[in-house]
Amino acid sequence: MIKHFSFIFCFICATFTYAQTSSKNILVPAQDSIKKREFIKHLGNGYLPTKYFNFDLRYLIKYNQYEGIRTGLGGVTNNNFSDKYRINSYGVYGFRDHRFKYSIGGGFRLAKKTNTWINLNYTDDLQETGSTKFLTDGRFFQFFEPRLLNIDLFHKLVTKSINIEHQLNPKLLTKAELAISNIDPTYNYGYVLDNSIISSFHLSTAKLSLQWNPFSRFEVSGGELKETKNGYPQFTLQYTKSFKNVSKSDFNFSKLDFRTIYKIGNENDGISEIVLVSGITNGNTPLTHLYHAYPNNITKETIMQRFSVAGLNSFETMYFNEFFSDKFTTVQLKHYLKPFNISEHYKPQIVLITRYALGDIKQPELHQNVTFGSLKKGYTESGFEINKLLFGFGLSFTYRYGAYHLPEISDNVAFKFTFNVSL
């Protein structure tokens, strides 16, 4: 893991160097029309802008247990290309599974005032089993994704989708999607359905997602609506329905997912953050679409063998593939203490953390060739982080206790790096 981490660290340095070099040479025409502040903002969002096309830094290089090193190129057209149409695509290659993955799509705007877009996409890629994504989530960029380094449970996903996004009002964003997917787990798995076992399957789904930020502030700039201040709490709600026998779909189930984020305080004096996530499924739901509560601990014997990078909202002491649920709730409490004002550019910060997860599953016997536990007794961990000690790096210590405390004390401990960089 340390070897992989060193590799990623070298990549981060190389990315900064490349961005600086490109900004002086390749991107001179683009910088003529983009202010320095806007260029930094693009870079902070994970884009390297050119005149008509913004390269997406998320696809340059990643690492996980199934693909090994994953590298490629991707991006999206910008407003210089068109403010009514956009094209987005990426292509990547995994050096361990020796397979290309790609996506190609585009969209056209129906109404500028309400930011209404219709988008079409075709994607052939991998997705982490048990993960849930909200359609309305904004773009989030990290130089590297800590959890991704250790994930080994993926399923192949070939999806054709069409969606529409619409700003009902400045504080309420909606997005709806219709999708047809072919799913093939990369691990040995079968689901007992109608007295037979299926290992790969088809899904036809409809999704509706709502993002409501009642206390945020917005303004119209350049004819477009932009958020000028994040207000809390924020609420996200998403409903998913899978239809059996529609376009050869094998499963009939529904999912309801909810998330709220609440922050109080300010950066100078300290911030308290509460994140509540909940979900429930009903019907025949395969493992790929259950919930895993975002674990981030690899199954190794010693603490140092499990030494890796802590995630932002993951359970650091929960082992990968240890629990799956068809209904669950997680609550995460963080309190960011006032940063130590050692110097103008060196301000380490302590963060106190407690996480709790509760869940259950009705018929685990339907899921063949996999073994996992239930969260019905309640899972608890607490710890702290010391962030920004050196070049954005820090340390994290978390301890697992309560109903799922393990016999060996060391198995309950997670000691990891943290990484926080802002541009």
Side-chain angles (χ1 to χ4, degrees), residues 59 64 109 156 290 329 350 359 369 379-380 391 395 421:
Y59 301 110
N64 63 67
R109 189 172 64 192
K156 297 176 184 177
L290 293 182
T329 297
I350 295 178
N369 305 319
Y379 186 102
T380 313
F391 302 118
L395 294 173
V421 167

Side-chain angles (χ1 to χ4, degrees), residues 53-328:
F53 190 80
N54 294 343
F55 287 97
D56 196 331
L57 300 178
R58 293 181 302 173
Y59 301 110
L60 282 179
I61 191 163
K62 291 184 179 180
Y63 181 91
N64 63 67
Q65 297 296 313
Y66 180 76
E67 295 175 284
I69 296 175
R70 169 188 169 108
T71 184
L73 289 173
V76 60
T77 56
N78 54 38
N79 285 343
N80 290 329
F81 174 83
S82 173
D83 62 353
K84 297 180 180 179
Y85 304 95
R86 61 190 178 201
I87 299 172
N88 55 273
S89 66
Y90 70 82
V92 297
Y93 180 77
F95 283 87
R96 179 172 292 174
D97 66 339
H98 306 291
R99 182 171 171 262
F100 284 99
K101 298 93 179 174
Y102 66 93
S103 178
I104 185 167
F108 57 93
R109 189 172 64 192
L110 296 179
K112 186 174 184 179
K113 184 177 180 180
T114 57
N115 197 32
T116 303
W117 286 80
I118 290 182
N119 306 292
L120 298 95
N121 280 281
Y122 181 91
T123 301
D124 183 348
D125 205 344
L126 297 173
Q127 184 169 320
E128 181 190 0
T129 289
S131 61
T132 298
K133 297 180 179 179
F134 290 94
L135 291 177
T136 52
D137 277 354
R139 176 185 172 83
F140 179 73
F141 171 69
Q142 292 175 280
F143 286 107
F144 66 98
E145 300 176 36
R147 288 190 68 257
L148 186 61
L149 296 172
N150 300 318
I151 298 172
D152 61 356
L153 213 62
F154 291 93
H155 53 271
K156 297 176 184 177
L157 184 69
V158 179
T159 298
K160 292 170 281 187
S161 66
I162 179 171
N163 67 63
I164 181 170
E165 53 184 291
H166 176 69
Q167 196 90 34
L168 278 177
N169 62 57
K171 299 181 179 182
L172 182 60
L173 172 66
T174 64
K175 197 167 185 177
E177 179 186 81
L178 298 175
I180 299 174
S181 304
N182 298 328
I183 296 174
D184 184 15
T186 61
Y187 47 93
N188 186 18
Y189 173 72
Y191 186 89
V192 180
L193 182 67
D194 298 331
N195 298 318
S196 63
I197 299 176
I198 60 174
S199 56
S200 59
F201 40 90
H202 307 282
L203 290 181
S204 297
T205 58
K207 290 183 181 180
L208 175 63
S209 190
L210 308 173
Q211 176 68 46
W212 184 40
N213 298 349
F215 301 101
S216 293
R217 295 179 184 174
F218 299 84
E219 67 177 25
V220 177
S221 177
E224 296 183 358
L225 186 68
K226 295 183 179 180
E227 188 174 20
T228 58
K229 181 183 178 182
N230 284 327
Y232 296 94
Q234 299 177 354
F235 305 94
T236 310
L237 183 68
Q238 180 165 283
Y239 178 75
T240 304
K241 177 62 180 176
S242 176
F243 302 93
K244 188 175 182 178
N245 297 326
V246 175
S247 297
K248 301 181 180 179
S249 178
D250 295 299
F251 288 96
N252 183 59
F253 65 85
S254 60
K255 295 180 66 176
L256 185 63
D257 300 293
F258 173 77
R259 181 185 63 203
T260 183
I261 302 173
Y262 184 53
K263 292 182 181 181
I264 55 175
N266 59 74
E267 294 183 358
N268 295 326
D269 299 323
I271 297 175
S272 294
E273 178 185 83
I274 302 173
V275 179
L276 185 148
V277 180
S278 185
I280 185 170
T281 70
N282 184 41
N284 290 302
T285 311
L287 190 73
T288 54
H289 287 67
L290 293 182
Y291 304 103
H292 60 20
Y294 280 84
N296 192 31
N297 206 13
I298 54 178
T299 308
K300 295 292 182 66
E301 187 173 345
T302 68
I303 295 175
M304 294 312 298
Q305 285 177 326
R306 298 192 297 269
F307 188 78
S308 58
V309 187
L312 294 179
N313 293 299
S314 52
F315 283 76
E316 302 304 325
T317 61
M318 186 184 294
Y319 293 92
F320 279 94
N321 314 324
E322 185 178 3
F323 302 100
F324 283 95
S325 307
D326 56 22
K327 53 180 174 291
F328 87 120

